Amino acid sequence: MSKWSKRTQQIHAGIRRSQYGEVAEAIYLTQGFVYDTAEQAEARFVELGEDEFIYARYGNPTVRMFEERIAALEGAEDAFATASGMAAVNGALTSVVKAGDHVVAARALFGSCLYILEDILARFGVEITLVDGTDLDQWRAALRPGTAAVFLESVSNPTLEVIDLKSVCDLAHAVGAIVIVDNVFATPVFSNAFALGADVVVYSATKHIDGQGRCLGGVVLGSRDYIRGKLEPYLKHTGGALSPFNAWVMLKGLETMDLRVRAQADSALKLATALEGHPKLSRVIYPGLKAHPQHDLAMAQTGSGGTVLSLEVTGGQAGAFRFLNALEIVTISNNLGDAKSIITHPATTTHQRLPQDQKDLLGIAPGLVRLSVGLEDADDLLTDITSALKMI
Ligand SMILES: *Cc1c(COP(=O)(O)O)cnc(C)c1O
């Protein structure tokens, strides 16, 4: 398939047709598989062939179609799909570290990722160092010979800081560390992570891959050695498998992902540009704006500012709440990447758990809101947002 572009591969890659020759991908909603003979069962437990399965926790044909399609899009040798984005992050990290190891991570992380590092891995004797991901000197100071892994979000949530992937990968590889990138905000459409040096890329498929707010899912992508040698044994025995039905939803999501994500990113840029300098906004954060501190880096890395922007409204939390409550089209929720535009107030929801000094450090101000731009008409969204801003 590799001679075809991503737009073509997102429709065709990985398809496995049954004897019925169905056009759309089949949902193999089965947890087990039958064997013709006892000898065949024995042989499969010794070694699995390409089209052979034994149990859906280990693999399933619909799930395998999703894994092969997303691997083709990302340019990865292999992929393993998981029940959620967090099962993917947990698997990617926990399958490669052991007690006594050292992990360096960018501080601006999704709350549950921070929990895995600081609460779970630390409890098992893994030493964690958190750095400001945009400061290469901090990476340099934190990495040391024997550092086992580096973990980062290529674009951080919710303040949309962009990390220089190539430089961080070079620094990490110089000390022998494996680089695991949570690439949700970059999206598979704009991702260039493997070309920039990432060893492992993780997605919450719940976001842009489904793109219509239906199912939880996740995926880990990497070399065949990593996926089959390290990750699969961990995941198949600990049980984070993706359901075949959810895999089918994700497969159908992938077919339209390029169209959706590009349209959402175009609208995000349009909104960010129109809202810049608005008197009720003290900050408009969007990597696609020239004023963003890492604008050039974002454009070089992914060629797009992405589908999410963050706004800091005047009047602090009260101002933010008035603004959210006055919106008519944009819905208050905490997902992102959806066809529906979604707005969230991180300080009181997704990042509520963080102590105030951490919120300050990460720029999660009381007036900050995160807007995931959907597929509605961009002019309607702008009208909705500017009308609601008047209520502050
Ligand atoms: C949503 C998200 C996750 C977790 O994904 P789930 O599918 O909700 O488990 C991890 N990392 C980032 C950056 C996310 O946005």
Side-chain angles (χ1 to χ4, degrees):
M1 289 302 290
S2 57
K3 73 173 177 174
W4 307 114
S5 73
K6 280 193 183 190
R7 280 274 299 266
T8 301
Q9 293 198 62
Q10 71 177 10
I11 315 277
H12 292 285
I15 193 150
R16 289 163 179 262
R17 291 205 163 90
S18 77
Q19 71 274 31
Y20 300 114
E22 65 282 352
V23 174
E25 296 73 5
I27 310 177
Y28 293 95
L29 205 53
T30 177
Q31 26 85 337
F33 300 85
V34 296
Y35 314 100
D36 295 335
T37 61
E39 288 77 7
Q40 190 186 55
E42 181 189 27
R44 278 201 207 172
F45 274 80
V46 174
E47 200 187 338
L48 271 185
E50 249 299 285
D51 260 317
E52 294 176 349
F53 298 91
I54 44 182
Y55 193 56
R57 176 152 45 76
Y58 295 20
N60 167 287
T62 310
V63 175
R64 194 67 197 133
M65 285 193 258
F66 169 63
E67 291 167 341
E68 288 184 357
R69 186 166 296 174
I70 185 75
L73 292 178
E74 193 70 33
E77 279 179 17
D78 213 340
F80 198 95
T82 55
S84 69
M86 286 325 302
V89 170
N90 182 54
L93 272 165
T94 311
S95 63
V96 292
V97 295
K98 59 181 187 314
D101 278 349
H102 177 229
V103 173
V104 183
R107 181 179 293 114
L109 289 180
F110 188 72
S112 302
C113 297
L114 209 56
Y115 182 83
I116 289 178
L117 290 163
E118 286 197 304
D119 289 77
I120 302 177
L121 292 182
R123 185 147 47 85
F124 288 94
V126 176
E127 189 193 338
I128 311 292
T129 307
L130 296 178
V131 298
D132 173 346
T134 61
D135 183 348
L136 290 176
D137 286 336
Q138 291 197 21
W139 285 106
R140 240 177 243 117
L143 288 160
R144 58 186 195 227
T147 297
V150 156
F151 181 78
L152 59 91
E153 280 178 32
S154 51
V155 181
S156 74
N157 172 28
T159 48
L160 310 177
E161 292 176 354
V162 182
I163 292 185
D164 180 347
L165 265 188
K166 168 110 182 46
S167 300
V168 173
C169 289
D170 287 348
L171 291 170
H173 292 157
V175 299
I178 168 176
V179 179
I180 302 168
V181 176
D182 182 337
N183 216 21
V184 164
F185 280 66
T187 81
V189 173
F190 300 123
S191 169
N192 214 4
F194 284 117
L196 294 168
D199 300 295
V200 176
V201 172
V202 177
Y203 288 106
S204 161
T206 314
K207 313 293 167 58
H208 304 83
I209 294 175
D210 174 337
Q212 290 164 77
R214 297 162 293 196
C215 291
L216 284 176
V219 65
V220 185
L221 301 118
S223 67
R224 183 143 300 134
D225 279 355
Y226 168 80
I227 297 291
R228 297 299 147 193
K230 296 214 152 61
L231 185 80
E232 183 193 295
Y234 178 83
L235 277 168
K236 77 182 186 187
H237 295 303
T238 54
L242 181 65
S243 106
F245 179 79
N246 288 10
W248 178 81
V249 172
M250 300 307 176
L251 269 167
K252 302 316 278 180
L254 283 180
E255 290 186 348
T256 57
M257 180 178 64
D258 190 282
L259 286 175
R260 286 186 284 104
V261 168
R262 284 182 200 280
Q264 288 169 258
D266 287 350
S267 294
L269 177 60
K270 196 168 172 178
L271 291 176
T273 307
L275 292 169
E276 221 180 2
H278 191 288
K280 294 285 176 68
L281 296 172
S282 50
R283 279 175 92 192
V284 175
I285 310 171
Y286 183 63
L289 289 179
K290 288 217 169 53
H292 188 281
Q294 291 113 20
H295 172 72
D296 293 340
L297 175 65
M299 290 302 119
Q301 260 180 204
T302 57
S304 169
T307 65
V308 176
L309 56 135
S310 290
L311 308 170
E312 196 176 324
V313 304
T314 56
Q317 180 176 322
F321 277 27
R322 273 172 181 270
F323 170 55
L324 261 60
N325 293 340
L327 288 162
E328 288 181 38
I329 307 172
V330 180
T331 42
I332 305 170
S333 187
N334 38 263
N335 192 21
L336 61 94
D338 198 287
K340 293 182 173 64
S341 289
I342 287 174
I343 200 156
T344 188
H345 183 248
T348 52
T349 61
T350 52
H351 293 71
Q352 188 190 109
R353 211 174 63 92
L354 286 183
Q356 192 57 46
D357 60 325
Q358 286 291 313
K359 285 182 189 158
D360 295 343
L361 205 58
L362 295 174
I364 302 169
L368 189 80
V369 297
R370 186 193 73 191
L371 173 64
S372 167
V373 180
L375 286 172
E376 302 93 340
D377 181 88
D379 292 326
D380 285 349
L381 289 173
L382 187 59
T383 303
D384 192 27
I385 291 165
T386 48
S387 310
L389 283 173
K390 292 196 184 107
M391 302 307 289
I392 296 174

